[in-house]
Amino acid sequence: MPFTPRDPEVLKQLIAREVEGLRSAARRHAGVRTGEGAGAPEEAGTACACGGSPDRAHSCGDGTGGAAGDEGAEHDPWGCICATLPAIPVSAALLVPVRDGTGRTVDFTVRAGNHVRAAEWLEAPDRHAGRRLLEVQPGAAAGGLIGALSEVLSSGRALRAYAVDYTEHRTDGLHRTPLLYDAASCGGNVLATWRPARNRTELLSLDAQYIASMGWGTWDLLSGDVAWSEGLAAIFRAETGRPLSLAELCDAVLLEDVWRFGRLLTGLLDGEEPPGGEIRFSVLGEVRTVHLVGHPVIATDGLPWAVHLIARDLTAQVRSRQRLASSRRYGELLEEEAAAERRVASVLREALLPTHSAELAELGLSLATAYLPAESEAVGGDWYKCRRLPDGRILLAVGDACGHGLRAVARMAQQRHALAGLAHAPGTDAGQLTTWLNELLCADPAAETATGIIGHIDAGHTLRWACAGHPAPLLLRDGRAEALDTGHRGPLFGLVPGHAYATATVRLRPGDLLLLYTDGLVERRGEDITEGIAALMAVLVSCAGLTPQETLDRVMGSFVVEDHEDDTCLVALGFD
């Protein structure tokens, strides 16, 4: 088994040794260029671009001074440059600046050009000789090209890949193509070339890399040159012109995956095609998972002189798998927590809403209560209160704190205990209690809205009650059911601070049955709440002559859990 490094520094040292060994072997068989001694460059540099010598009078390429290199002809360096333009494989032209009265360059004249078109609908530069640049390329004005070329003259710095989104209105309609301009100062003139920013093959390649989240690169082991596709640069968040060396990639690999990357590279350096694999890299502080496959470029001497790597970014897929696994674990945890929460909340509810004592029976009242969850074992914020106060009145209340679970139970307990404390204030009526409870909820920024009914029943069985956005109680009397008038009903608890709640009075008779409930009993999917109330009243009518407990049993028998999305609390009070 070959040695596979697990440390980045060891892996880089191994790569350096292998590359140096390949270079040494290549040097033994490489050809040697002759004539590289001192003085050779200078001698080579004495020739003119046309093949003539500057110390000889000759003319080049413009058809006015005779054949190139003729004895006695006048030397024309601009003619030499113009003569070389056809050899340039992209659109090229020699441009002469046109200046205004202040000396500012406002345009250029095309002195000469070649025959290469940058786009099918653009003319070749040699058709423009003697004409203004803005005349033959009117779309360049909007792209700032004149200013960029002027800067070349004033600064002496060459222009590299200056992008112009060239748009031109021609007789057959609008045309657009992205062009890249290169230019250099040339004796007071400008030699410029331009080419399409992307040809069709490059655009298709870029689209494929983007869609597949992939890219490729080549590392020349002998020269050290590195070339990356834009897709690979995007994966590693690198500049296209600044690809990473193999050593820099070693530094980016996560320590746990160094051995995987090392196994791939050592195989390629041995001239093999090892299997690919998923390798994680740290890219600008972010962990990215990349599937790498490689191919060595083998020379005729059997030695690999370059390696190709193809990479596909799997980061999104890996994260998706991780999220799915995490969601499953989180779902299981939530189920466990929900079950525990339901158990705790159920115990709390039993403690907070106990079956009432027999003290009400001494006053000629019979009480039955029930709690109906919307889901099995679910708990919510519905509550009731029915007890005898020190002044002899009966406090009767029902409420609904929004939500489910422990938080709703906590809000329910807060409201119920607050009412219990406020109710002992001497001389208070139901309207005042409702107003005070509303102020408590409005003053608490963490509180949420709630509904409720608060009332007092005196010794004469007169009910004085206030309502905070809650469904009206139902009264069963003489075989008929009706909802108590809610003309005095006020807003929900916690909604309008400072609101003073009014009360209404109802005289209760022997044989009456009063039913208080929360809205979960009458709200159904896709149905108006008035329809649910009407259905409840119909069930209540069928309960004429039954005890409060028998009435609740029948009401609960008509309650279909699947039809309801909220829990409900029921209080039935009979008057003997």
Side-chain angles (χ1 to χ4, degrees):
M1 289 291 292
F3 169 69
T4 302
R6 295 179 177 270
D7 179 84
E9 294 302 322
V10 177
L11 178 57
K12 288 191 290 185
Q13 293 170 11
L14 185 148
I15 294 172
R17 288 196 303 270
E18 290 292 329
V19 170
E20 184 55 37
L22 290 171
R23 290 176 178 173
S24 298
R27 289 190 193 101
R28 290 194 294 270
H29 303 286
V32 180
R33 181 183 296 275
T34 59
E36 292 186 347
E42 287 78 2
E43 293 174 4
T46 60
C48 181
C50 66
S53 175
D55 56 5
R56 288 186 181 180
H58 68 286
S59 180
C60 326
D62 59 0
T64 61
D70 284 350
E71 293 282 347
E74 183 182 355
H75 173 62
D76 180 8
W78 296 118
C80 294
I81 293 175
C82 295
T84 62
L85 291 180
I88 299 177
V90 296
S91 298
L94 182 64
L95 306 176
V96 181
V98 177
R99 296 184 170 88
D100 61 10
T102 64
R104 184 172 63 92
T105 300
V106 295
D107 202 349
F108 289 85
T109 300
V110 180
R111 176 169 180 172
N114 65 2
H115 63 283
V116 180
R117 295 185 179 192
E120 288 295 326
W121 52 274
L122 287 173
E123 294 178 344
D126 58 3
R127 300 281 300 275
H128 301 155
R131 300 169 66 185
R132 293 286 186 92
L133 182 62
L134 289 181
E135 176 188 355
V136 297
Q137 291 190 14
L145 179 61
I146 300 300
L149 295 176
S150 301
E151 181 67 19
V152 171
L153 287 176
S154 61
S155 67
R157 292 191 297 271
L159 188 68
R160 301 293 186 192
Y162 181 81
V164 175
D165 191 9
Y166 187 82
T167 305
E168 188 174 310
H169 189 194
R170 303 175 70 88
T171 56
D172 58 344
L174 282 173
H175 293 267
R176 172 175 290 171
T177 184
L179 297 177
L180 296 180
Y181 284 81
D182 295 279
S185 177
C186 187
N189 296 339
V190 173
L191 181 61
T193 66
W194 58 95
R195 65 191 188 280
R198 300 286 180 200
N199 58 39
R200 187 174 298 275
T201 302
E202 289 174 320
L203 291 174
L204 290 174
S205 172
L206 284 176
D207 288 342
Q209 292 180 63
Y210 173 77
I211 294 171
S213 298
M214 64 182 302
W216 46 83
T218 299
W219 286 260
D220 189 317
L221 303 176
L222 301 182
S223 67
D225 292 338
V226 183
W228 277 18
S229 73
E230 294 200 12
L232 191 60
I235 291 174
F236 285 93
R237 306 294 192 265
E239 298 179 16
T240 306
R242 175 63 177 85
L244 303 182
S245 66
L246 292 177
E248 289 173 319
L249 282 179
C250 292
D251 290 330
V253 179
L254 291 193
L255 189 60
E256 299 87 344
D257 289 358
V258 169
W259 69 273
R260 292 190 179 92
F261 192 50
R263 183 177 60 185
L264 176 65
L265 290 184
T266 53
L268 293 172
L269 295 174
D270 287 339
E272 302 173 355
E273 292 192 6
E278 294 183 10
I279 301 172
R280 293 170 297 169
F281 293 85
S282 177
V283 179
L284 300 180
E286 177 188 20
V287 176
R288 305 199 69 81
T289 303
V290 180
H291 186 274
L292 285 178
V293 293
H295 169 70
V297 182
I298 307 297
T300 54
D301 57 9
L303 298 176
W305 63 270
V307 295
H308 295 323
L309 288 178
I310 299 177
R312 187 180 179 200
D313 190 359
L314 301 179
T315 305
Q317 294 91 316
V318 170
R319 289 176 178 170
S320 179
R321 293 198 300 264
Q322 291 172 343
R323 284 195 297 268
L324 180 59
S326 177
S327 296
R328 288 174 179 168
R329 292 193 298 269
Y330 184 62
E332 294 171 356
L333 179 61
L334 284 180
E335 288 182 4
E336 295 174 0
E337 290 180 348
E341 182 178 292
R342 285 193 294 267
R343 289 192 297 269
V344 173
S346 180
V347 172
L348 284 174
R349 173 171 293 281
E350 292 301 320
L352 293 170
L353 305 178
T355 302
H356 208 275
S357 66
E359 63 179 5
L360 297 179
E362 299 176 0
L363 302 175
L365 303 175
S366 55
L367 177 71
T369 62
Y371 173 74
L372 296 175
E375 301 176 19
S376 177
E377 299 185 325
V379 292
D382 295 25
W383 57 274
Y384 76 90
K385 188 78 172 175
C386 188
R387 61 166 300 174
R388 186 175 183 178
L389 298 175
D391 60 8
R393 294 180 298 171
I394 302 297
L395 174 65
L396 178 64
V398 67
D400 186 358
C402 66
H404 295 277
L406 287 176
R407 297 179 67 177
V409 172
R411 289 191 293 270
M412 173 267 288
Q414 178 190 42
Q415 296 165 23
R416 186 173 181 275
H417 288 314
L419 175 62
L422 294 171
H424 281 76
T428 57
D429 63 11
Q432 186 63 64
L433 289 178
T434 309
T435 300
W436 286 346
L437 189 56
N438 177 61
E439 290 302 309
L440 287 176
L441 269 67
C442 287
D444 184 359
E448 298 188 40
T449 58
T451 66
I453 286 176
I454 300 176
H456 289 115
I457 302 175
D458 61 20
H461 287 184
T462 297
L463 170 65
R464 290 179 176 84
W465 62 290
C467 179
H470 200 86
L474 300 182
L475 178 63
L476 178 61
R477 173 180 289 172
D478 299 330
R480 294 171 48 198
E482 62 178 354
L484 299 187
D485 180 44
T486 55
H488 66 296
R489 179 161 49 195
L492 278 66
F493 287 126
L495 189 63
V496 181
H499 180 79
Y501 289 83
T503 59
T505 302
V506 178
R507 172 71 179 178
L508 301 173
R509 307 172 188 172
D512 286 351
L513 186 140
L514 189 66
L515 179 66
L516 286 75
Y517 58 94
T518 55
D519 58 8
L521 186 66
V522 292
E523 286 184 333
R524 294 182 177 87
R525 301 184 188 97
E527 184 178 280
D528 190 89
I529 192 172
T530 57
E531 298 179 24
I533 295 175
L536 176 60
M537 292 173 65
V539 175
L540 189 60
V541 168
S542 69
C543 299
L546 300 182
T547 66
Q549 186 59 57
E550 292 171 340
T551 299
L552 292 191
D553 290 342
R554 180 167 295 184
V555 170
M556 288 187 292
S558 66
F559 184 89
V560 180
V561 174
E562 290 75 12
D563 292 342
H564 300 266
E565 297 179 346
D566 197 6
D567 49 359
T568 189
C569 183
L570 295 167
V571 179
L573 195 63
F575 300 86
D576 300 335

